[in-house]
Every structure is written in structure tokens, then in C-alpha cells.
Amino acid sequence: MDPIAIKKATIEDLETLQLISEKTFTETFAAVNTPENLANYIEQSFNSEQLSMEINNQNSQFFLAFSASEPVGYLKINFGDAQTETVTKNAIEIHRIYVLQAFHGKKVGQLFLDQVIAVAQQMAVDAIWLGVWEENHRALQFYTKNGFIAFDKHIFTLGDDVQTDLLMQLKVTKD
């Protein structure tokens, strides 16, 4: 297998980010959501205007993963007022780790998590946090294995389906 390379994404990567968003979200959640709810969420969350706004937000960063020259996933992290919630003053949020199903188990998520930890240490934050659907057992297992601890929950609405996300955090050790 080709080594995975990570690079910071820019507005020039908009189309690639959209394609990965739609494909990974569908792969992960199509079996447990209605086609209407899925389509509406994808249209609202990953349209050009919305993703452009997120990419151009100075308090967000996107990173793309490539195997050979093929994009296989992306990471989005939020700082400051770009965070979807204020968990603690000195924290950053992992908003998305999206990896194509064909690359699950190939350490792409781990490389993204290592990237977040490096950014967190560079920024001297106290914690990294995220929200993950309580039924996404693969993701929960990954985050737990990496030291994340559930500390709260919030409601995530997908169309007309009300779901519960667990909020998890990892304390950042200073080098």
C-alpha cells in the first residue's frame, strides 16, 4: 500500500472536500437514516457556499489525506468561535474526520488524530473535543482507544430524526 500523505487543504480543494464529504457521509449513515434525511443533510452541510465559508474561516483548518495521488479522507478542526459549542475556553474541536470506507483500518484516522494533537500542542490548548453519534461504534472505539473520555452529550438532528451525540475529550499533554 502507498504511504498516506497529509496536506493542508485550501479553497482550491473545495470540490474534493465535497466529494469526500458526500461519499463518506453516505457510506457511514445511509443504512441507518432515510434517503430524504441523508440527502437534505448533504445538501445543507456540503454545498459549495457552506463548505467555502468553512474553508475560508480563519478559525478552522482542513487537512486532506492522499494515498498515491488519490484523496482518501479529510480532517476539519475548529478553534475559537468556529467551534460548534463552547466546551472549555482553551480547547479545539475535531469537527470531522471523514475517511473513505476502502481506507478504514489503514491508519488514516490515526494520522489525522496525530495531526490534531500536533496542532493542539503548538497552540498550547488544554483539550481536544468532538461529538460522535452514540451508535457509531467504530468511531467510538477509535476515540476511546486513543484516550478520549465521554463527558457530556448533545442532540444532533438529521432531518426529522433526533439523535444523540456523545461529547468526548482528550486532555493535551504539554511537551
Side-chain angles (χ1 to χ4, degrees):
M1 187 181 111
D2 289 308
I4 302 296
I6 308 269
K7 80 165 189 87
K8 197 160 185 193
T10 67
I11 195 68
E12 281 75 41
D13 298 304
L14 174 64
E15 205 170 291
T16 300
L17 292 168
Q18 281 181 292
L19 291 169
I20 293 171
S21 296
E22 187 170 336
K23 186 164 176 53
T24 56
F25 201 83
T26 302
E27 286 175 345
T28 306
F29 301 113
V32 290
N33 289 284
T34 67
E36 298 78 24
N37 284 348
L38 203 66
N40 288 339
Y41 184 83
I42 287 169
E43 171 52 35
Q44 288 171 4
S45 300
F46 307 130
N47 66 66
S48 297
E49 188 177 341
Q50 177 62 37
L51 266 181
S52 294
M53 193 172 66
E54 291 178 22
I55 294 165
N56 289 325
N57 185 329
Q58 66 185 20
N59 286 321
S60 293
Q61 289 182 14
F62 285 77
F63 295 88
L64 275 163
F66 293 88
S67 175
S69 59
E70 283 298 306
V72 299
Y74 79 86
L75 160 71
K76 179 187 179 205
I77 50 181
N78 293 327
F79 322 95
D81 63 5
Q83 294 179 80
T84 56
E85 292 186 28
T86 303
V87 169
T88 177
K89 286 276 185 257
N90 194 26
I92 60 176
E93 173 190 19
I94 297 175
H95 193 188
R96 297 182 195 123
I97 291 183
Y98 285 1
V99 177
L100 297 176
Q101 213 162 40
F103 285 84
H104 284 186
K106 302 207 184 334
K107 306 284 186 230
V108 179
Q110 193 64 55
L111 290 171
F112 280 145
L113 189 53
D114 294 347
Q115 179 73 46
V116 175
I117 292 168
V119 170
Q121 288 174 331
Q122 185 181 0
M123 294 179 68
V125 298
D126 297 323
I128 299 165
W129 73 277
L130 55 90
V132 60
W133 186 36
E134 65 183 354
E135 298 298 326
N136 190 344
H137 301 293
R138 182 182 187 94
L140 286 168
Q141 183 180 9
F142 171 75
Y143 293 122
T144 301
K145 178 186 86 171
N146 278 283
F148 281 79
I149 296 167
F151 66 92
D152 203 353
K153 48 181 69 170
H154 71 184
I155 298 300
F156 177 82
T157 306
L158 188 74
D160 58 10
D161 188 20
V162 176
Q163 303 174 355
T164 301
D165 278 359
L166 298 179
L167 301 183
M168 301 181 81
Q169 85 175 350
L170 175 70
K171 298 288 185 196
V172 176
T173 55
K174 309 291 188 247
D175 278 346

